Amino acid sequence: EILELRSQSNSFIPKQRAFESHVLLEVKDELSKAGNYKVLNDEESITTLSFNHSREENKSNYFTATELGNNNIAYSVEDLVYKLNEEDGILNLWKYFVIGALFFLICELLILKFLK
């Protein structure tokens, strides 16, 4: 079955690839105007697709090494593992806080038991 894309002012049949459960529509240079297009199968509307004419939002802009800072970049797997271990060592302070909290809780219980 041939699917057609139709807007208020434009209509065309895009390149299609049929699979078992779906159809892939490939719209490349055929799209001349941005807007909402109905997907029609024998004049029956299946769904509505929206296209943007400006492709600025699709451009991928990546950070450079200087923008990220040279400390955050791992150039090899060994370097990445080393940096993760360094960060893990910094974050292991929670163990000391739990031990301290338990120590002070035991001290408080002993004070309440013997000074009551």
Side-chain angles (χ1 to χ4, degrees):
E1 297 180 19
I2 297 175
L3 300 177
E4 176 185 2
L5 292 178
R6 185 182 298 166
S7 69
Q8 293 177 351
S9 62
N10 193 6
S11 176
F12 64 94
I13 298 174
K15 182 179 176 184
Q16 302 172 28
R17 284 197 272 169
F19 297 98
E20 290 181 18
S21 61
H22 64 281
V23 176
L24 178 66
L25 300 175
E26 292 183 14
V27 181
K28 293 185 179 177
D29 296 330
E30 299 167 347
L31 187 65
S32 61
K33 190 172 146 184
N36 297 323
Y37 289 81
K38 291 183 180 179
V39 179
L40 301 173
N41 182 11
D42 294 330
E43 299 299 322
E44 178 185 344
S45 179
I46 299 173
T47 188
T48 303
L49 299 175
S50 297
F51 295 98
N52 294 331
H53 186 63
S54 174
R55 303 287 187 231
E56 289 296 319
E57 62 193 33
N58 295 337
K59 291 184 179 176
S60 298
N61 295 327
Y62 301 105
F63 290 110
T64 62
T66 56
E67 290 173 336
L68 290 175
N70 292 332
N71 296 339
N72 296 332
I73 297 175
Y75 294 103
S76 66
V77 176
E78 293 83 13
D79 190 29
L80 176 66
V81 170
Y82 176 75
K83 288 183 180 185
L84 289 176
N85 284 337
E86 278 184 351
E87 289 179 9
D88 191 39
I90 293 171
L91 297 178
N92 281 336
L93 293 176
W94 66 271
K95 294 176 187 177
Y96 298 115
F97 287 108
V98 170
I99 291 170
L102 289 174
F103 173 75
F104 287 114
L105 178 68
I106 292 170
C107 289
E108 182 179 356
L109 289 174
L110 291 173
I111 290 171
L112 289 174
K113 183 176 181 180
F114 291 118
L115 294 180
K116 191 174 182 184

